Amino acid sequence: MNCVLNKKVTRLLGISVLIGINLSPLNIQPSHGQTCTAFPVVGGQEENETEVTKSVSQPSFPIPLPGPASAGLNNNWNTDFSIIPLKAYNKYIVTFTPKSDGDYKVRAYLKYNDNTADEIYNEQKSYTAGQPIVIEGVPKADNLPIQVNLFVGDPISITKTYTVSVKGCV
């Protein structure tokens, strides 16, 4: 029975590649019984947007205003994904796909409600456009993450473009 299901999933995936259909919203179960849920981008342009494409901007200073509103630098180096629904996932998968060849500084974190975070990836290296990088993170045994953060920044990454999505698997 499982072999028949695997053949059907494989055939469906092969057909989708040939005709360009994106099956990721369908939450297809991998053959080892795992179910994965895509998470929405915090502040996404569309409701329940689960993928975002960015070009790394150069930091700028905000217009000086009185008070704390003008503190800090403005940049687009962080992207957060809300873990919805909040439940105990076995692992979190970040798919980072560079759209530009070259060096990037990429970090990924699982963020917790107690203002702590686990770094699950930290690499500065040369990436190839169109070659997805799959980053997997496992949460703390005693705490559920509330967000997954991808940080693509530092001067080495400025003007580089990438696409990112995140899902949790049980």
Side-chain angles (χ1 to χ4, degrees):
M1 178 69 172
N2 195 20
C3 183
V4 171
L5 179 61
N6 285 342
K7 286 181 182 179
K8 286 182 180 180
V9 169
T10 303
R11 186 177 307 133
L12 184 58
L13 290 173
I15 291 169
S16 70
V17 169
L18 288 174
I19 61 176
I21 296 174
N22 182 2
L23 295 176
S24 59
L26 298 179
N27 286 338
I28 292 176
Q29 291 185 356
S31 61
H32 51 286
Q34 206 170 42
T35 300
C36 298
T37 301
F39 299 137
V41 179
V42 173
Q45 298 295 319
E46 300 174 20
E47 188 175 337
N48 296 321
E49 180 178 20
T50 59
E51 182 178 89
V52 65
T53 299
K54 287 185 168 184
S55 291
V56 181
S57 68
Q58 183 166 335
S60 63
F61 291 100
I63 298 172
L65 299 172
S70 66
L73 293 174
N74 292 327
N75 64 48
N76 69 343
W77 294 4
N78 283 288
T79 306
D80 289 317
F81 292 82
S82 291
I83 298 175
I84 298 174
L86 186 58
K87 65 181 183 180
Y89 293 95
N90 297 328
K91 67 179 172 181
Y92 299 85
I93 301 172
V94 178
T95 304
F96 168 78
T97 306
K99 301 293 184 185
S100 310
D101 287 332
D103 291 341
Y104 291 75
K105 174 69 173 173
V106 179
R107 289 176 265 192
Y109 302 89
L110 299 179
K111 295 168 61 175
Y112 298 91
N113 202 26
D114 61 2
N115 291 323
T116 62
D118 289 336
E119 185 177 72
I120 59 172
Y121 188 81
N122 186 345
E123 293 283 333
Q124 178 176 320
K125 63 182 187 178
S126 184
Y127 294 91
T128 303
Q131 295 288 325
I133 305 301
V134 176
I135 302 164
E136 291 189 12
V138 176
K140 296 177 184 175
D142 61 343
N143 205 348
L144 295 176
I146 58 169
Q147 288 185 339
V148 177
N149 171 265
L150 185 77
F151 180 93
V152 180
D154 293 336
I156 198 166
S157 305
I158 293 174
T159 73
K160 304 289 191 318
T161 302
Y162 64 93
T163 298
V164 64
S165 64
V166 176
K167 59 187 173 184
C169 301
V170 291

